[in-house]
Structures are given as C-alpha cells and as structure tokens.
Amino acid sequence: MLAVVLCALTLLHSCPTGKYLATTGNDEESDCVACGTGTYSTATGATEITTCQQCPAGKHLPTTGNDGEDDCLACARGKYSPQDGRSVCTSCVAGTYLDSTGNDAPGDCVECGTGKYSTVVGALAAATCQECAVGTFSAQTGASSVATCLNCAPGKYMETRSASACTLCVAGKFATASGAASATVCSACDAGTTSHASGAMCAPCTAGTYATSAASPTCTPCPAGKYSPSFGATSSSVCLPCAAGKF
C-alpha cells in the first residue's frame, strides 16, 4: 500500500513558471492558468494569481505565460507606460516627440517649440516638428496643427520660418496686408502723419506737432512759447506764438 502511495506522489506535477493553479483535483497541465499580459511569474507550482508580478512602469508585455522580468519590454521611442502591468505602451500625442526608450510618464514627451507643430502621434524625433512658414508665427508650444501658425497681422511681417512673433514695421511706416513675409510691404507714412502703434495705419500729427517729411518716426512738437491748433501739420510754420499773458 505504501508503495502505491509513493508511486502516486511521484506522478504529481507542478505548474511551470509563468502559470498558476488555484483549484484542486486538476489532471492536466492545460489546467494551469497563464499569467496575463503585463505580468510574469518566476514561481513553480504557484497557487494564486498574486504570484504573477507586474512589469514596472516604462515597460510592457503583450504576451501571456511569461516567467521572468526580463520578458518585460521597454517602451519604444515615441511611447511611454505610466503604470505597472501594462500590456501596451501609450503613444505621445501629436505636437510632441520622444527620442528615448523606457519612459514612464506623459511628461517625458517633448513638446515642439514655438513656431513649430506636429501632426504625428508617437513621433520619434524633433525632426517631426514642422516649421511655420514665413509670414506666419506661433507662440504656442506643443502645437498639433498647422492652423496654430497664424498670419502676421497688418503692420507686421516675418521673413523667417519657425517664428514665435512677427516684426513690427519701423516707426513711420505701415502695412495693410496680413501674412506679410518681407519688410518691403511696409510703406512710408505721408508728411504730417506717423505710424499708429499697430503699424497698420498712419495717424495725423496731433495739435501742437508736425512732421515735415514722409516716414517720420514721430511728430515734432512746436517749440516752447508756440502752439498749433492744426492736425496733420507738415511744417513748423503752423506753430504760432503764444498770445500776451500766455505760455
């Protein structure tokens, strides 16, 4: 009788690593349950699912029944895994890129800089960030659409790509067109005027000032002891002496 028991005991088999079996009375190795995706087990004869260990953040494991942490795969470039036990890694969103492996947070994805954008999901390199064209700008980082590249407003221009801001026409000049790609669009204001702060128009010299030439950066005040009631004056001759008793 003892010999029969010993013989029966020798026929018992343990579930292999990477699997477990929580029930009794099983008679096939196929009854052993494989550890799920994102997990592995180094234990033989495991009886609980808790023996299946999770792959750490920054890694993933798409297959089942794995028996070692070295089966866990580092997230590839352009992806990250923020949690333990992931079966897949998450792609960096458009407007960002990631050129290293094994990353574990969305903040590891690097935003495209100002003046650029990217429509690519899971981008691998900074080269995927496209430049805004001349005549446009973008002050936004992490932009995901060319629509974020805005035309320069009237009174401004941009001659280079990847601009974060446009250049204002110099004082005394203006431009009415939007999306200008060159300073040549800036035209001289007439005598008696100077450019508005926006650069989009010219404004008449106020009373008490004048501008004798075109493209004047500012209007010149009448000298002390003189005044002028005229707007848009083009000559100092409009400046009149203050009357007796006034200054």
Side-chain angles (χ1 to χ4, degrees):
M1 180 66 177
L2 178 62
V4 173
V5 172
L6 291 174
C7 181
L9 288 175
T10 60
L11 296 178
L12 296 178
H13 298 283
S14 296
C15 288
T17 56
K19 297 183 177 182
Y20 68 94
L21 188 54
T23 59
T24 61
N26 296 281
D27 58 5
E28 296 287 345
E29 183 176 341
S30 60
D31 295 330
C32 300
V33 181
C35 289
T37 58
T39 67
Y40 64 93
S41 175
T42 60
T44 56
T47 60
E48 299 292 340
I49 191 174
T50 54
T51 58
C52 298
Q53 304 296 305
Q54 294 183 324
C55 292
K59 295 186 176 183
H60 72 293
L61 190 51
T63 58
T64 62
N66 293 281
D67 59 6
E69 185 174 354
D70 56 356
D71 293 327
C72 301
L73 307 173
C75 290
R77 295 164 60 202
K79 298 185 177 184
Y80 64 92
S81 175
Q83 299 169 333
D84 296 341
R86 294 289 294 269
S87 61
V88 295
C89 297
T90 302
S91 295
C92 292
V93 298
T96 68
Y97 65 92
L98 189 51
D99 57 7
S100 59
T101 62
N103 291 281
D104 60 5
D108 295 331
C109 302
V110 182
E111 291 185 332
C112 293
T114 57
K116 296 183 178 182
Y117 67 94
S118 174
T119 61
V120 179
V121 175
L124 312 182
T128 58
C129 299
Q130 303 297 305
E131 297 177 321
C132 290
V134 294
T136 69
F137 76 101
S138 175
Q140 182 177 332
T141 59
S144 59
S145 170
V146 67
T148 58
C149 300
L150 305 176
N151 283 335
C152 292
K156 297 181 178 182
Y157 64 94
M158 179 43 59
E159 297 178 329
T160 61
R161 302 172 68 89
S162 302
S164 60
C166 297
T167 303
L168 185 68
C169 290
V170 297
K173 292 189 175 184
F174 74 103
T176 58
S178 61
S182 172
T184 57
V185 301
C186 300
S187 302
C189 291
D190 294 334
T193 68
T194 191
S195 55
H196 186 269
S198 67
M201 65 182 73
C202 299
C205 292
T206 59
T209 66
Y210 62 94
T212 59
S213 61
S216 294
T218 59
C219 295
T220 304
C222 289
K226 293 188 175 184
Y227 76 100
S228 172
S230 303
F231 287 83
T234 59
S235 170
S236 60
S237 63
V238 299
C239 299
L240 306 173
C242 292
K246 296 184 178 181
F247 64 92

